[in-house]
Amino acid sequence: MENIEHKQVEVKGLKLHVAEIGSGPKVVVFLHGFPEIWYTWRHQMVALANTGYRAIAFDFRGYGLSDQPAEPENATFRDLIDDVVGLLDSLAINKAFLVGKDFGALPAYLVAALHPERVSGVVTLGVPYILPGPSAVQNHLLPEGFYVSRWQQPGRAEADFGRFDVKTVIRNIYTLFSRSEVPVAGENQEIMDLFDPSTPLPPWFSEEDLLAYASLYEKSGFRFALQVPYRTLSVDIGITDPKVNAPALLIMGEKDYCLNFPGMEEYIRSGTVKHLVPDLDITFLEEGSHFVHEQLPEQVNHLIVTFLDKHSV
């Protein structure tokens, strides 16, 4: 970890916080989810650098130490695509592997669809390829208190989170979302009310880790994070040919709550997802939660390195 270097890289007029370790022509760019940040990839970055890869993780615009855009409420997933391509341009990287977790899976695949010449392969964790648009998440098939529905309502999550300090919000989400049940609030509850304060942190997530996350979200807050992904998930960004021909790997924990989204497990296990990503390998880790890369880093690192080695030129 102490060998990871940090810098600011300008992309489309915004300074993005970039963490980097390793060197050489084989480049891997990591894309975080929520409530994650560059730090979520700490285990993978070190492992890849030790096997000869240049590992880069950054905070998306509006997250952590990266700049806030002028009008966050107008942002869409197109902005995250711009972040990835702009970062590659700024660092003079012609082609890279993209590794995305949670909503970070979407820009990983979307960049591969729109800019296939820039992507050597795609690895995603916790979320398969889903196109942003009206059918991205079937909110209507889940109870009204479904966390995505709640967080899509302007002001609701802000009021819910605002009752606590940032560290508590991160603790609550990490603990709640490492379970296999979909977080759903009751009629007179908010999502933060689902957390039992007596519940300890997951054993693979330390107080030091929590502080690292909290310090970064204290800088950025949650304003942009609630817009992208949650409030822009249903916005069609106008991709006419979404097919990804790059080799891809999907890593899912068997205990990931996302598998309980309506139709999600069938979409993955039936192979329907391969209509969009024909060259896709799918691996399930039996004990894995939604945060499988932090929970089971050695297993995940082995899967990622094996995939990268197979498809590196």
Side-chain angles (χ1 to χ4, degrees):
M1 280 285 289
E2 62 272 10
N3 293 325
I4 295 176
E5 298 178 351
H6 298 264
K7 58 188 174 185
Q8 298 283 330
V9 175
E10 186 157 324
V11 173
K12 296 232 169 200
L14 297 175
K15 290 181 179 176
L16 303 183
H17 168 243
V18 176
E20 183 172 347
I21 186 172
S23 60
K26 298 186 296 184
V27 181
V28 184
V29 177
F30 291 93
L31 312 177
H32 66 80
F34 178 77
E36 298 150 353
I37 208 73
W38 80 265
Y39 181 86
T40 197
W41 298 112
R42 59 200 180 281
H43 305 301
Q44 286 69 47
M45 293 179 72
V46 172
L48 265 60
N50 288 340
T51 51
Y53 290 88
R54 180 183 176 191
I56 298 169
F58 71 103
D59 300 342
F60 279 119
R61 64 178 64 197
Y63 282 82
L65 301 179
S66 291
D67 282 352
Q68 295 282 339
E71 298 178 325
E73 287 71 23
N74 294 330
T76 72
F77 275 96
R78 279 277 181 185
D79 294 294
L80 304 192
I81 296 169
D82 289 346
D83 282 352
V84 177
V85 176
L87 182 67
L88 293 177
D89 290 343
S90 294
L91 296 176
I93 297 167
N94 291 326
K95 200 167 188 178
F97 288 95
L98 302 180
V99 181
K101 158 69 174 44
D102 189 67
F103 80 79
L106 277 67
Y109 276 123
L110 295 171
V111 170
L114 294 172
H115 305 277
E117 74 285 356
R118 309 299 297 271
V119 179
S120 302
V122 178
V123 180
T124 66
L125 301 96
V127 171
Y129 189 12
I130 302 169
L131 275 179
S135 62
V137 178
Q138 304 288 314
N139 292 23
H140 61 284
L141 298 178
L142 282 153
E144 178 274 334
F146 174 42
Y147 79 96
V148 173
S149 303
R150 288 291 181 87
W151 291 355
Q152 285 175 336
Q153 299 174 32
R156 187 151 192 173
E158 288 87 338
D160 185 16
F161 294 1
R163 297 177 294 156
F164 307 96
D165 60 28
V166 169
K167 180 181 173 184
T168 300
V169 173
I170 300 292
R171 175 193 291 273
N172 292 3
I173 295 174
Y174 246 88
T175 306
L176 282 172
F177 286 64
S178 61
R179 304 187 319 201
S180 57
E181 302 84 18
V182 177
V184 175
E187 185 177 349
N188 297 312
Q189 280 185 317
E190 298 299 332
I191 299 301
M192 291 294 103
D193 296 330
L194 296 174
F195 178 72
D196 180 349
S198 67
T199 306
L201 284 171
W204 39 266
F205 193 75
S206 69
E207 286 286 342
E208 182 183 5
D209 295 333
L210 178 60
L211 285 171
Y213 279 92
S215 66
L216 293 167
Y217 275 96
E218 281 166 359
K219 163 74 166 55
S220 63
F222 300 107
R223 183 181 176 189
F224 189 89
L226 289 166
Q227 173 67 14
V228 184
Y230 299 103
R231 294 172 189 165
T232 192
L233 265 177
S234 60
V235 176
D236 187 331
I237 59 173
I239 295 179
T240 54
D241 183 10
K243 192 172 182 180
V244 169
N245 292 310
L249 172 66
L250 170 62
I251 302 171
M252 293 292 302
E254 292 274 11
K255 298 181 178 178
D256 189 326
Y257 73 90
C258 284
L259 289 175
N260 292 316
F261 284 14
M264 180 66 79
E265 187 162 15
E266 173 68 14
Y267 175 64
I268 296 170
R269 292 194 191 273
S270 69
T272 303
V273 62
K274 294 186 181 183
H275 295 168
L276 288 174
V277 196
D279 190 5
L280 175 67
D281 292 328
I282 303 171
T283 297
F284 284 87
L285 295 181
E286 185 177 355
E287 295 302 316
S289 71
H290 189 58
F291 303 102
V292 66
H293 63 303
E294 294 183 275
Q295 176 196 7
L296 303 170
E298 291 185 4
Q299 292 182 52
V300 169
N301 294 349
H302 175 73
L303 290 169
I304 292 175
V305 170
T306 301
F307 173 84
L308 298 178
D309 286 349
K310 179 180 177 182
H311 297 289
S312 290
V313 177

